């Protein structure tokens, strides 16, 4: 699937993918293996940010961010970190986790929507949600 998307909607899309892994299988779990996510920023006009989710045999998703000119690379690096974790979910690798830690540079990866506790790692956040808030209907 290929799609063009504006930065605002891309960020909403990536956040929705990450949040969905709390309650449903990730894309990697559905195809039963780890997927790769890459990002390329074209330096010539119109300064597109391109993302691709793929494995050895096929591409599953290609996103072209159409209004990337006004945003710094750090925005897209954080989006890449989120997208790697979102598509791989429970199959997230330690490399993906360390990339996210580097991309967020000490800032929280996710903040709990219930108790507002910040988390720097996906698995810590996931474990907190599943153990501390398991009774909340929104996540069960």
């Amino acid at each position: 699937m290929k799609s063009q998307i504006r930065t605002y909607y891309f960020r909403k899309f990536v956040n929705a993918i990450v949040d969905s892994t709390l309650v449903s299988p990730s894309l990697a779990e559905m195809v039963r293996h780890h997927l790769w996510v890459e990002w390329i920023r074209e330096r010539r006009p119109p300064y597109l940010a391109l993302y691709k989710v793929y494995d050895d045999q096929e591409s599953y998703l290609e996103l072209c961010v159409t209004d990337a000119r006004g945003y710094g690379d750090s925005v897209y690096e954080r989006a890449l970190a989120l997208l790697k974790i979102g598509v791989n979910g429970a199959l997230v690798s330690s490399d993906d986790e360390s990339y996210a830690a580097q991309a967020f540079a000490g800032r929280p990866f996710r903040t709990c929507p219930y108790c507002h506790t910040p988390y720097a790692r996906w698995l810590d956040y996931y474990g907190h949600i599943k153990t501390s808030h398991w009774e909340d209907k929104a996540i069960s």
Side-chain angles (χ1 to χ4, degrees), residues 31-62:
V31 298
R32 300 183 188 277
H33 60 274
H34 189 80
L35 298 178
W36 296 293
V37 184
E38 71 177 17
W39 162 62
I40 300 166
R41 180 128 190 216
E42 292 188 356
R43 296 285 181 196
R44 52 188 155 67
Y47 302 101
L48 301 175
L50 306 170
Y51 292 82
K52 183 176 181 181
V53 178
Y54 61 97
D55 66 9
D56 286 334
Q57 298 173 357
E58 69 178 294
S59 276
Y60 293 95
L61 180 67
E62 291 181 20

Side-chain angles (χ1 to χ4, degrees), residues 55-107:
D55 66 9
D56 286 334
Q57 298 173 357
E58 69 178 294
S59 276
Y60 293 95
L61 180 67
E62 291 181 20
L63 296 169
C64 174
V65 184
T66 58
D67 64 339
R69 177 187 301 225
Y71 294 85
D73 282 357
S74 61
V75 169
Y76 295 103
E77 288 171 10
R78 282 187 226 125
L80 175 61
L82 290 170
L83 197 54
K84 283 181 177 186
I85 288 171
V87 300
N88 290 307
L91 301 179
V92 68
S93 71
S94 58
D95 289 343
D96 293 341
E97 285 271 21
S98 61
Y99 185 86
Q102 184 179 9
F104 281 84
R107 296 174 59 200

